[in-house]
Amino acid sequence: GSKKMGKDSPNVKPNYSRPVGLGDAPAEFYKWFKEADRDKDGVVNGNEAIEFFSRSRLPRPTLAKVWALSDKRRRGVLDLEDFVVSMKLISLAQSGKAVSAEVARNIDQEKDLAFPQLVGINVSGSIEPSPGKSPGKVSTKVMPKMSIKNVQSLQDGLCKLYMRHLRPLEEKYQYPVFQAPFMRPQDFAAKPAVMMLGQYSVGKTSFIKYLLGDQYPSAVIGPEPTTDRFVVVSHSHIPKTSPGNALAVSADKPYGGLTKFGQKFLNKFAGAEMPSPLLESIDIVDTPGVLSGEKQRLDRGYEFPDVVRWFAERTDLILLIFDPYKLDISDEFKRVIQALGGYDEKVRIVLNKADQVDSQHLMKVYGALMWSLSRIFRSPEVPRVYTGNFQESEYVYTEFADLMDRERKNLIEDLYSIPKSNAARKISEFVKRVRSLKIHCLILSALRDSMPTMFGKESKQSKLVSRLEETFLKVQQKHDLAVGDFPALEPFREHLRGCKIDAYPKFGADKLKALDDILEIEVPALMQRFGNPFA
């Protein structure tokens, strides 16, 4: 039989030089990790994994799954801790068990795992060379300018492209005045996040407690509006809290942009940290309960929908939480939902406390909720709805107990799978930004070219501003650009009134080509380098 994994035998002296990432896994895994890491850079990259994992003789789709579940942070490489997970998953797959996200999460609880059988390592035989990608080959015809060697992850690659190519252009053409603020390295490195929104007392904070297995530090649960703050809950080994001002200036947190909402908002913003398996994958943003009825007249001291929109732009999932007794959508809640416009694909609905009404009442509640939402979301499809009781308590009405158990399980699985889509979201937002910057530079450059060199600058500028749509059309037709990628005309016109058009530099063909190369060569090369090597 094959050797079982387990602790080293009792008469062996403890080895204090065991690397931390090894955990309680057998020491052989560290030896294998060093063998797999051919270029000795401390991680196993895609090509190295193809070579080493193929020794298991498992089919390629299974290895693709093993890689996806081991590369939890979507960096395109495996460190020792990830490698240990991959070896355990390979062992399970070889024993005929299905490999899934849930299995990967609980892999450390698996008892009596056999050692993976690897040809040429602990089993004799030979393997066919895998038809994987050869190192350094990129499917694009032109080689990327950015050396992949100096890039640690997909996010790091996007950050380097931004700082080198986009940021200088954004400064010269005042992009933040017209569009969005400059990006900082911490914006690229930010963990995926989920935002919770709902009227007060629908069970938002209890729901978070259910997800995390415990209350987060400083959370208060009660019938009146208790969470009157935005709280970002993230992972750490000891529970602690931090004030909003500290978070906003913290160099490793992506919250610097919140300072624009003023001191009154920062006083209502905080961070909470605690140990929880879910928080290793994502951050959670808890929001103040949305007010209804008379309470809506309370002045928050900052624009609540604007802050919600700021977070919506940066989160991966937005959960709108309702309960069967609070289906009326107040004016403030309506404004908040409308502020999510453009991010509809991130929104999911949670009908909490659904076990507290009988089946006939639940059907009516569900229908009423769908009707209310369809009037606010102006799209033909209403978002996915999770129906259940998302807190630690027995169901009151048990007719739909099976359904509610399944819904609970689906929601948890969807939350754990967010990091998978996070990398794709970051690429998509980066590509959007490159396109937007390209159009921005072309518009300002075209306006500049229309300015006189000596006299009559002021009158010419006001004429160009008042007939801005002509420049938009000219740029769109000359470069064959999508109309939908252009900025909104009126806000652009307003910002332009305060600028000196002739002060902008000329946007030459070389700069235009550099931006096109990012879209056509650099980003695809990054995706190939840090994607799933077995996919």
Side-chain angles (χ1 to χ4, degrees):
S2 55
K3 184 178 161 192
K4 290 270 190 279
M5 288 183 213
K7 304 280 195 301
D8 300 319
S9 53
N11 54 358
V12 177
K13 283 188 184 146
N15 178 0
Y16 296 109
S17 64
R18 271 173 76 85
V20 177
L22 193 56
D24 60 359
E28 281 93 334
F29 283 3
Y30 183 46
K31 220 164 73 187
W32 295 358
F33 175 71
K34 289 199 292 192
E35 193 163 329
D37 176 19
R38 284 297 178 87
D39 57 9
K40 305 294 170 233
D41 60 352
V43 288
V44 172
N45 65 36
N47 293 311
E48 291 168 342
I50 286 176
E51 199 176 320
F52 196 83
F53 288 11
S54 309
R55 297 174 181 278
S56 66
R57 290 179 169 162
L58 286 170
R60 206 176 166 100
T62 305
L63 292 177
K65 215 169 198 181
V66 166
W67 173 277
L69 295 170
S70 308
D71 177 19
K72 291 191 291 288
R73 283 158 290 184
R74 296 285 166 274
R75 295 178 310 160
V77 291
L78 306 181
D79 59 19
L80 177 56
E81 198 177 323
D82 301 332
F83 182 81
V84 166
V85 172
S86 69
M87 289 299 104
K88 291 178 176 178
L89 290 172
I90 284 176
S91 163
L92 275 177
Q94 287 179 332
S95 68
K97 290 184 183 161
V99 172
S100 68
E102 197 173 349
V103 168
R105 280 203 300 278
N106 303 313
I107 195 77
D108 291 334
Q109 271 84 58
E110 288 285 342
K111 295 283 173 270
D112 295 331
L113 274 178
F115 265 75
Q117 304 292 291
L118 303 173
V119 174
I121 301 287
N122 57 359
V123 180
S124 56
S126 63
I127 47 169
E128 294 293 310
S130 162
K133 305 175 289 193
S134 53
K137 275 276 168 67
V138 176
S139 58
T140 43
K141 301 279 183 289
V142 192
M143 283 302 284
K145 287 191 182 69
M146 185 168 72
S147 164
I148 296 290
K149 259 292 180 226
N150 309 330
V151 177
Q152 265 68 57
S153 65
L154 179 75
Q155 289 82 343
D156 181 41
L158 293 176
C159 181
K160 285 186 167 139
L161 284 175
Y162 174 79
M163 292 301 172
R164 193 172 307 161
H165 301 286
L166 274 66
R167 179 73 191 247
L169 284 175
E170 289 186 0
E171 285 170 8
K172 282 181 190 158
Y173 290 92
Q174 293 186 308
Y175 186 78
V177 174
F178 292 83
Q179 312 273 353
F182 293 128
M183 293 185 78
R184 303 175 307 162
Q186 51 268 47
D187 294 324
F188 291 95
K191 243 170 58 191
V194 175
M195 175 163 63
M196 309 280 178
L197 282 169
Q199 304 195 129
Y200 69 92
S201 195
V202 291
K204 270 199 316 296
T205 309
S206 308
F207 174 45
I208 295 174
K209 180 183 174 184
Y210 168 72
L211 293 176
L212 303 181
D214 201 355
Q215 219 166 291
Y216 65 78
S218 86
V220 187
I221 296 174
E224 278 299 298
T226 49
T227 309
D228 65 338
R229 298 182 297 171
F230 279 83
V231 183
V232 176
V233 190
S234 51
H235 182 269
S236 82
H237 294 292
I238 47 166
K240 57 180 178 192
T241 57
S242 5
N245 279 304
L247 279 181
V249 296
S250 170
D252 59 343
K253 296 271 193 280
Y255 304 117
L258 287 167
T259 49
K260 70 175 181 185
F261 297 111
Q263 192 52 51
K264 273 192 172 166
F265 167 72
L266 291 176
N267 292 341
K268 298 282 187 187
F269 175 50
E273 295 178 26
M274 63 180 281
S276 158
L278 182 61
L279 292 176
E280 288 176 22
S281 309
I282 59 172
D283 289 345
I284 289 179
V285 181
D286 193 7
T287 60
V290 179
L291 303 172
S292 59
E294 285 299 308
K295 294 195 178 77
Q296 292 181 78
R297 298 198 171 78
L298 289 175
D299 180 27
R300 291 184 187 272
Y302 59 90
E303 276 301 320
F304 184 60
D306 292 354
V307 177
V308 167
R309 186 167 180 83
W310 188 93
F311 277 106
E313 199 177 311
R314 289 157 183 81
T315 49
D316 295 71
L317 196 66
I318 300 161
L319 293 179
L320 293 184
I321 303 172
F322 293 87
D323 80 10
Y325 303 106
K326 283 207 176 67
L327 290 182
D328 56 320
I329 296 179
S330 66
D331 293 345
E332 185 175 58
F333 202 11
K334 190 172 177 179
R335 285 203 305 279
V336 165
I337 295 175
Q338 283 164 346
L340 303 176
Y343 303 108
D344 298 3
E345 79 285 351
K346 297 181 183 181
V347 176
R348 303 285 182 277
I349 310 292
V350 174
L351 182 53
N352 196 11
K353 306 181 186 175
D355 64 315
Q356 297 183 10
V357 291
D358 61 32
S359 56
Q360 191 180 359
H361 194 129
L362 184 60
M363 289 298 154
K364 287 179 183 167
V365 163
Y366 191 87
L369 178 62
M370 292 295 97
W371 185 79
S372 310
L373 289 171
S374 65
R375 294 173 64 211
I376 300 175
F377 283 102
R378 295 275 174 221
S379 61
E381 279 183 46
V382 169
R384 157 87 160 96
V385 181
Y386 300 95
T387 309
N389 178 358
F390 300 94
Q391 47 199 1
E392 287 299 345
S393 60
E394 292 294 313
Y395 294 146
V396 179
Y397 287 93
T398 54
E399 295 149 286
F400 288 131
D402 284 354
L403 168 78
M404 292 188 195
D405 287 345
R406 276 203 307 278
E407 292 279 273
R408 256 186 193 183
K409 194 173 167 216
N410 287 350
L411 178 57
I412 301 281
E413 279 176 1
D414 290 350
L415 290 175
Y416 270 103
S417 67
I418 285 173
K420 286 183 196 163
S421 54
N422 177 257
R425 182 179 74 82
K426 286 206 162 120
I427 289 169
S428 147
E429 284 177 2
F430 182 79
V431 166
K432 261 191 222 162
R433 192 167 181 117
V434 176
R435 287 200 181 120
S436 159
L437 176 63
K438 172 178 152 180
I439 289 174
H440 176 80
C441 296
L442 286 169
I443 292 169
L444 291 179
S445 182
L447 288 165
R448 173 196 176 277
D449 291 347
S450 307
M451 289 290 283
T453 44
M454 301 282 283
F455 306 110
K457 288 185 179 181
E458 279 184 25
S459 61
K460 182 65 175 173
Q461 167 147 344
S462 64
K463 190 175 167 189
L464 286 170
V465 171
S466 64
R467 292 159 67 171
L468 183 61
E469 54 276 13
E470 292 174 14
T471 307
F472 272 37
L473 187 63
K474 199 168 80 182
V475 168
Q476 189 258 324
Q477 288 174 341
K478 182 179 174 185
H479 298 277
D480 192 24
L481 299 163
V483 178
D485 288 347
F486 275 71
L489 183 67
E490 289 311 322
F492 199 94
R493 198 194 311 267
E494 280 311 304
H495 293 307
L496 200 55
R497 290 189 205 283
C499 301
K500 293 182 78 170
I501 291 178
D502 61 333
Y504 293 112
K506 189 170 176 58
F507 189 61
D510 54 330
K511 293 194 182 103
L512 181 60
K513 185 179 184 312
L515 288 184
D516 285 337
D517 283 352
I518 288 175
L519 295 176
E520 291 161 21
I521 300 164
E522 304 290 343
V523 172
L526 274 176
M527 287 166 72
Q528 185 162 15
R529 162 75 174 79
F530 293 107
N532 190 324
F534 298 94

